Amino acid sequence: MSSTDNNSPWGLGTKIIHAGAVPDPSTGAIMTPIYQTSTYVQTAPGQHKGYEYARSQNPTRKALEDALAILENGKYGLAFSSGVAATDAVIKLLSPGDEVICASDMYGGTYRLFTKIFEKFGIKFIYVDTTNAANVQAAVTANTKLIWLETPTNPLMNITDIAAVAAISKAAGSLLCVDNTFASPYLQNPLNLGADIAMHSATKYLGGHSDVIQGCLMMNDTDLRDKLYFIQKSCGAVPGPMDCFLVLRGIKTLHVRMQRHCENGFAIAHYLRKHPKIEKVYWPGFADNAGYAVARKQMRGFGGMISFTLKDQTIEAANKVLSSTKLFALAESLGGVESLINHPASMTHASIPREERIKNGLSDGLIRLSVGIEDVEDLINDLEQAIG
Ligand SMILES: *Cc1c(COP(=O)(O)O)cnc(C)c1O
């Protein structure tokens, strides 16, 4: 599996705990305080300590952004008020006439932002099956300015070879942004594989406790950082200091949580696969999966996101499972310590037209699990009684 190739002598767990953590300069507080302020007093006009107005700079946000950069082996991090706000900022780098090549299977809210908001400003989105890099190459034109990947995808866990697409992107003079939400920086680092931007919904594994909405972008190029920072402060989708504190706190346990998500995910994926009532299990760790070789190459583990279909493909059969679990709560979102169950066709992916969904393999009966870090026997018993 891939290694982190940055200059830090520390292991990943140590980095995650100490990333960007400096004692507060005014008091020595070991944890960065919540700087709940909108502005900063200047000693004379234009004379200040680097902080003028909190849409532009906030010390709690700065501590988080530094930590986020370190987690993705990037030079810079930028935090946004949600994952889609982070995506929105990336698209605002573009101009009318520019083309974006993106994955046909991706988060429903990303698809909605592209089709319902940005298409009308003259930005063109070309959807391809990115699991075959040749499809990306075939879609490249002189106007290709951005390639948008998600891997593993939500909810079908399709795997795209980030390094292969990065090579195509570079040759095309395009930017490559990877939505790394499903893997988290603990399992995959797109910047190491040649991507220009790593994007996360920090609402999920980074926050890890289902108590905050936030997004972020990490990158290495200074010019790109300056452009995205300009968009962040001009458009104003910044997270509040309390939310930054929550994500800072969440990421301190990212490695321990992810290890347990991976262990529990492994056990549940294998349990489901053997179950006589189950048709297919989508999880990147099965050796007979199309994307397995690439997943092994670019990920350190396979995570806790699993989708499956029942042999009985009716919506009634799926509904029975969805409404019978007691530990797995029926809810959108993922990546928290508690387990969730979700019906993509009517919940997270309802904004994608049905024929598009079916074409991409997202059937009405598909059920998605975000496996939490509870005792795995309890989770399996819960699924057993719900599937029957
Ligand atoms: C949730 C999610 C987003 C959007 O993030 P929000 O924080 O909800 O705005 C984007 N991509 C993926 C893969 C997600 O799961």
Side-chain angles (χ1 to χ4, degrees), residues 244-382:
C244 292
F245 174 86
L246 286 171
V247 176
L248 262 176
R249 181 179 174 140
I251 59 183
K252 287 196 190 294
T253 54
L254 178 69
H255 59 306
V256 205
R257 287 187 284 111
M258 290 314 296
Q259 284 159 15
R260 183 63 76 85
H261 283 298
C262 287
E263 282 168 28
N264 287 0
F266 180 96
I268 289 177
H270 284 85
Y271 155 77
L272 289 172
R273 192 151 140 129
K274 285 201 235 72
H275 199 291
K277 289 200 177 164
I278 285 179
E279 174 79 31
K280 186 165 162 70
V281 183
Y282 300 80
W283 181 67
F286 290 128
D288 55 0
N289 258 14
Y292 181 70
V294 176
R296 267 201 71 109
K297 185 177 69 165
Q298 69 189 17
M299 300 176 76
R300 295 183 198 91
F302 305 113
M305 294 303 300
I306 302 169
S307 296
F308 65 94
T309 48
L310 298 167
K311 283 193 178 135
D312 180 348
Q313 298 270 345
T314 61
I315 201 116
E316 292 73 28
N319 275 342
K320 187 190 156 283
V321 175
L322 287 154
S323 51
S324 306
T325 55
K326 298 191 169 76
L327 261 177
F328 282 85
L330 180 62
E332 296 194 9
S333 200
L334 61 109
V337 290
E338 70 294 309
S339 293
L340 300 178
I341 190 165
N342 163 53
H343 183 229
S346 66
M347 296 166 71
T348 44
H349 291 65
S351 54
I352 303 175
R354 185 167 184 275
E355 51 295 0
E356 278 295 309
R357 266 192 275 119
I358 306 282
K359 202 173 78 196
N360 297 328
L362 201 171
S363 66
D364 286 338
L366 191 83
I367 295 172
R368 191 190 80 183
L369 302 177
S370 171
V371 177
I373 64 171
E374 298 96 334
D375 292 315
V376 74
E377 303 75 33
D378 295 329
L379 296 177
I380 289 176
N381 288 340
D382 191 34

